[in-house]
Amino acid sequence: MDPGGGVGYSGSRSIGERVMRTQVAVIGGGPAGLLLSHILHLEGVESIVLESRSKAHVMKRIRAGVLEAGSVKLLRDVGLGERMDREGHVHDGAAIVWAGHGRFFIDTRKYTGKRMMAYGQTAITEDLYAAREAAGGEILDEVDDVELHGLTGASPHVTFEREGRPERIDCDFIAGCDGKHGVSRPSMPAGLTKVYEKVYPFGWLGVMSETPPLEDLVYASHPRGFALASQRNPMLSRYYIQCSLDDRIEDWPDERFWEELKSRYPSEIADAIVTGPTIEKSIAPLRSFVSEPMRYGRLFLAGDAAHLVPPTGAKGLNLAFSDVFYLSRALVEHYKGGGDRYLDSYSDMALRRVWHCERLSWWMTNLMHRFPDDTEFDQRSRENELEFLSMSDHAHAALAEQYAGLPYES
Ligand code: APR
Ligand code: PHB
């Protein structure tokens, strides 16, 4: 076994086709695929990562930035905690404000004893890339026309094109970590999968600015819509506001964004927000999505390839990591001769956590956003729920437990 890379050129199957062999072909070089490949390498299992975009593109994507306590532990356990512990911001909960009412704080440390971390996905992707490259890991980027074959047999393979040339990877397993638009999920027979989906009638307009963030993350529920103040590091703030799906970036010059953001916070918080030129601005739709099961023969899905959550609660990246924890454990046990108990239970086990986060993200989204077709009854019920959450110790504890993240199953 070559734990460093895993590429062996074993000749050609068709004219001009280069053939490689590895144990696990990982489709997608986002956080899920890179972390899986990294953990497999630590355990002596070979993998090759296939990524359709360029390394530069993958590295600059800006996504969520709050890590559950379990994700923090996982990154530390696999040797990826050093920069996170240095540059990340320990996160012991989040504040919630809603129109006309004071701020309350969901204290995750107090209720769970666990500590979370604000550390951006962009930095995590850099760390993962650096670790794979330092270990001589094989990440083939800018590949086209990826196709999965032989999924129900013992020897699946993947074909693709790189620099216009046909290539092929023979492997034992395929990990589908290729996100929401990937090829892995559609490679499962449609008749065997069940899709659950909810589309929300609004988007999030997000900005990054090189300004000092507020001390805490602050979620706001306001008649003008949801807002969130988040952070990446002491000089990098991340803010979001609920916007219309018809809005375009051009509709939101910086000045209008800051004014709208501040209008959704009570004055003492609005006054503390330090504004400045934004360095990134984007609009994202919100969607809940689960495709079951997460396994078909020798193909295993992980991360956004199998499920999406609306960003409220920051569960997307954390779910990708818990999938990878379960999948890496299952594959390692298989290769160490421990049997296939974890491979066989992977889909059910991962989906239990997925559904938990789906429900929490949906609940937080409903609690804090205004929906265009809300009735007065809906709004009064929402306010009552916020009121109960603000005053009940039990409600605080329940949200803290879920926000900090449920433990991984053994
Ligand atoms: N072949 C190879 N790679 C592909 C293909 C394909 N056909 N289709 C997509 N990809 C790549 C994408 O370019 C992307 O780099 O797969 C990768 C998937 O990465 P992500 O979309 O980041 O998904 P995942 O790794 O599951 O990360 C989990 O958590 O915060 C959330 O949604 C956020 O990205 C985040 C996710
Ligand atoms: C973020 O920092 O991007 C973030 C934080 C908390 C959320 C969603 C996104 O609930």
Side-chain angles (χ1 to χ4, degrees):
M1 180 185 305
D2 164 26
V7 183
Y9 293 95
S10 52
S12 293
R13 300 284 172 95
S14 65
I15 296 167
E17 185 185 59
R18 183 156 58 164
V19 182
M20 291 165 266
R21 154 94 209 149
T22 193
Q23 291 174 312
V24 182
V26 178
I27 316 299
L34 292 172
L35 181 62
L36 178 65
S37 177
H38 173 74
I39 298 176
L40 291 178
H41 162 75
L42 295 181
E43 298 285 350
V45 178
E46 302 166 9
S47 66
I48 298 175
V49 176
L50 289 182
E51 167 57 51
S52 56
R53 309 300 297 257
S54 68
K55 174 181 169 185
H57 176 90
V58 171
M59 300 277 264
K60 74 171 181 358
R61 279 194 299 234
I62 297 175
R63 301 250 178 93
V66 175
L67 295 177
E68 291 180 348
S71 302
V72 172
K73 179 176 181 318
L74 177 60
L75 290 177
R76 286 192 188 127
D77 287 350
V78 299
L80 292 167
E82 198 260 328
R83 180 173 166 214
M84 171 184 73
D85 285 326
R86 198 164 17 94
E87 295 182 13
H89 181 81
V90 174
H91 179 55
D92 286 332
I96 300 177
V97 293
W98 87 101
H101 298 264
R103 159 195 191 283
F104 63 93
F105 187 75
I106 302 295
D107 191 330
T108 44
R109 190 180 188 193
K110 171 177 160 194
Y111 289 104
T112 69
K114 300 180 199 163
R115 310 199 80 176
M116 302 168 70
M117 188 77 83
Y119 186 59
Q121 183 170 319
T122 316
I124 292 172
T125 308
E126 285 168 10
D127 298 348
L128 282 164
Y129 241 101
R132 288 315 293 124
E133 287 180 347
E138 202 71 32
I139 302 170
L140 309 182
D141 69 351
E142 297 190 80
V143 301
D144 294 315
D145 297 333
V146 175
E147 285 180 27
L148 317 186
H149 309 268
L151 298 175
T152 52
S155 321
H157 69 276
V158 183
T159 56
F160 56 99
E161 284 206 359
R162 196 156 51 117
E163 290 164 3
R165 288 183 53 193
E167 302 201 15
R168 163 180 172 138
I169 298 176
D170 293 338
C171 55
D172 303 327
F173 296 100
I174 300 175
C177 304
D178 46 355
K180 58 183 163 193
H181 301 302
V183 68
S184 299
R185 185 171 35 79
S187 301
M188 295 167 68
L192 286 184
T193 56
K194 172 139 180 68
V195 165
Y196 302 82
E197 187 170 24
K198 187 173 267 298
V199 175
Y200 298 85
F202 41 73
W204 273 23
L205 168 61
V207 309
M208 196 74 95
S209 89
E210 286 172 323
T211 49
L214 297 178
E215 177 71 12
D216 294 314
L217 248 79
V218 189
Y219 291 91
S221 171
H222 190 274
R224 298 183 65 85
F226 169 85
L228 170 61
S230 184
Q231 52 192 260
R232 291 292 177 273
N233 65 45
M235 261 315 281
L236 198 54
S237 303
R238 181 80 169 143
Y239 293 101
Y240 301 96
I241 55 172
Q242 176 183 348
C243 67
S244 160
L245 282 171
D246 298 327
D247 284 359
R248 293 160 309 145
I249 295 295
E250 307 81 79
D251 300 330
W252 287 96
D254 286 1
E255 204 176 313
R256 180 178 174 212
F257 176 83
W258 292 120
E259 196 181 317
E260 184 62 40
L261 177 78
K262 287 181 168 217
S263 76
R264 299 182 187 190
Y265 283 101
S267 57
E268 67 279 10
I269 294 178
D271 292 347
I273 292 175
V274 181
T275 63
T278 63
I279 57 168
E280 192 265 352
K281 206 179 272 162
S282 56
I283 293 179
L286 274 68
R287 195 168 149 217
S288 299
F289 175 91
V290 184
S291 176
E292 296 185 351
M294 289 170 63
R295 172 189 190 172
Y296 175 64
R298 295 216 158 209
L299 168 65
F300 292 82
L301 302 181
D304 279 14
H307 42 75
L308 301 171
V309 288
T312 335
K315 291 298 180 193
L317 178 63
N318 292 293
L319 270 185
F321 282 180
S322 55
D323 288 353
V324 166
F325 171 81
Y326 289 139
L327 183 54
S328 58
R329 180 174 66 181
L331 290 166
V332 168
E333 189 171 77
H334 169 88
Y335 282 111
K336 291 198 168 160
D340 288 350
R341 168 182 63 126
Y342 280 132
L343 279 177
D344 292 338
S345 59
Y346 169 72
S347 179
D348 289 344
M349 203 182 268
L351 282 166
R352 278 194 285 278
R353 221 170 175 284
V354 167
W355 273 108
H356 178 78
C357 292
E358 289 288 342
R359 203 254 313 133
L360 178 70
S361 310
W362 163 83
W363 177 80
M364 286 183 73
T365 303
N366 281 308
L367 182 69
M368 296 190 208
H369 293 71
R370 300 293 164 125
F371 287 63
D373 59 355
D374 272 344
T375 63
E376 287 182 9
F377 182 90
D378 296 329
Q379 184 49 29
R380 289 290 285 125
S381 302
R382 182 176 295 131
E383 282 164 19
N384 179 268
E385 187 143 22
L386 281 161
E387 203 164 318
F388 177 68
L389 182 61
S390 71
M391 62 179 224
S392 161
D393 204 42
H394 297 287
H396 271 238
L399 180 53
E401 182 184 10
Q402 300 175 82
Y403 190 65
L406 295 189
Y408 298 169
E409 287 180 47
S410 50

